[in-house]
Amino acid sequence: MIKAVVFDLDHTLFDRYATINKLVPQLRKHFDLNDGITDEFFIQELSYADKHFVHKGWRGIYNYLLEKGIFKTIPSFSEYTEIVLRHFKHLAEKYEFAVPTLEKIRSMGYKIGLITNGNATLQYKKLEMLELTDEFDEIIVSGDTPYEKPDKRIFFMMAEKMGIEPHEMMYVGDHPLNDIEGSRNAGCVSVWVKTTGT
């Protein structure tokens, strides 16, 4: 019997693509872009990079944008991330279904958790910006642990924190390897949210 529902964050509750659409015009104001780089092209390439490299960290996204010749004057990685994070605070968007889904699950008596890969400071900041911090009974960020998804041990950690067995935990995520295969290997009930078309 399912006793808890645990979620991924990026591309599962956090609508990164909607955020990118709002972010690009702000980035144009800060960075010197090459001639002919339209907002539409920048959004397309940043979305592609986010889809393919976000699970490996922001450095991969930054390197891809350099390869595509987005910037006329190349910002440092630290300058790029500082500007992106500054605007994320005001532009970050949840999926429309995020809060109603969490509220419905809570009303049905289930515990709610979050397991997300990434730097702990950054991931907690995202939760704060999205006003989701208080929605979960337990949160695990891989940066705080020796493991990251798809390692089944991070799912075991969540089950232990919640006082349940892995097979009593439903895990919801967008990534077929990190979220679905990882949670399935841990014995959880896996639910694939195909928000990225992966």
Side-chain angles (χ1 to χ4, degrees):
M1 184 175 73
I2 300 298
K3 296 181 179 178
V5 183
V6 180
F7 290 84
D8 169 54
L9 179 58
D10 294 291
H11 292 302
T12 300
L13 298 173
F14 173 29
D15 189 346
R16 292 180 67 95
Y17 292 154
T19 303
I20 286 170
N21 285 336
K22 295 163 62 178
L23 178 64
V24 162
Q26 300 305 317
L27 298 185
R28 178 179 290 281
K29 296 176 183 178
H30 289 278
F31 298 123
D32 185 18
L33 306 185
N34 266 316
D35 296 339
I37 301 295
T38 63
D39 282 0
E40 291 74 18
F41 180 78
F42 196 171
I43 288 168
Q44 171 188 309
E45 295 304 327
L46 184 52
S47 297
Y48 176 90
D50 191 82
K51 177 177 179 179
H52 289 86
F53 307 122
V54 68
H55 299 288
K56 298 179 181 178
W58 282 29
R59 176 73 69 172
I61 296 172
Y62 167 79
N63 288 341
Y64 178 83
L65 295 178
L66 297 191
E67 290 172 12
K68 297 302 288 188
I70 298 294
F71 305 107
K72 182 182 292 186
T73 303
I74 297 176
S76 67
F77 177 64
S78 60
E79 180 185 2
Y80 169 79
T81 54
E82 191 275 327
I83 293 298
V84 169
L85 285 173
R86 183 192 307 173
H87 289 290
F88 256 37
K89 296 177 185 178
H90 310 291
L91 303 176
E93 282 197 23
K94 302 180 282 284
Y95 283 106
E96 290 183 1
F97 58 76
V99 171
T101 299
L102 296 173
E103 290 177 346
K104 180 67 173 179
I105 291 168
R106 174 84 62 197
S107 73
M108 295 170 71
Y110 296 105
K111 292 182 179 180
I112 302 176
L114 182 87
I115 302 174
T116 179
N117 282 353
N119 173 275
T121 300
L122 177 58
Q123 294 304 84
Y124 279 111
K125 188 65 178 176
K126 285 180 192 172
L127 288 170
E128 181 184 329
M129 291 187 289
L130 294 165
E131 299 180 336
L132 289 175
T133 307
D134 297 330
E135 297 288 341
F136 305 100
D137 297 298
E138 299 289 350
I139 296 172
I140 295 178
V141 180
S142 68
D144 283 334
T145 79
Y147 318 114
E148 65 176 26
K149 299 178 295 181
D151 192 319
K152 61 185 178 182
R153 289 173 290 187
I154 201 165
F155 299 98
F156 293 158
M157 287 178 65
M158 177 58 79
E160 184 175 351
K161 284 171 72 80
M162 288 192 156
I164 61 175
E165 296 298 320
H167 69 268
E168 297 174 318
M169 186 169 88
M170 178 180 287
Y171 188 78
V172 183
D174 72 284
H175 197 277
L177 173 61
N178 291 349
D179 296 319
I180 304 310
E181 185 172 327
S183 60
R184 190 176 287 161
N185 287 342
C188 305
V189 176
S190 305
V191 177
W192 187 12
V193 180
K194 298 172 72 172
T195 53
T196 65
T198 304

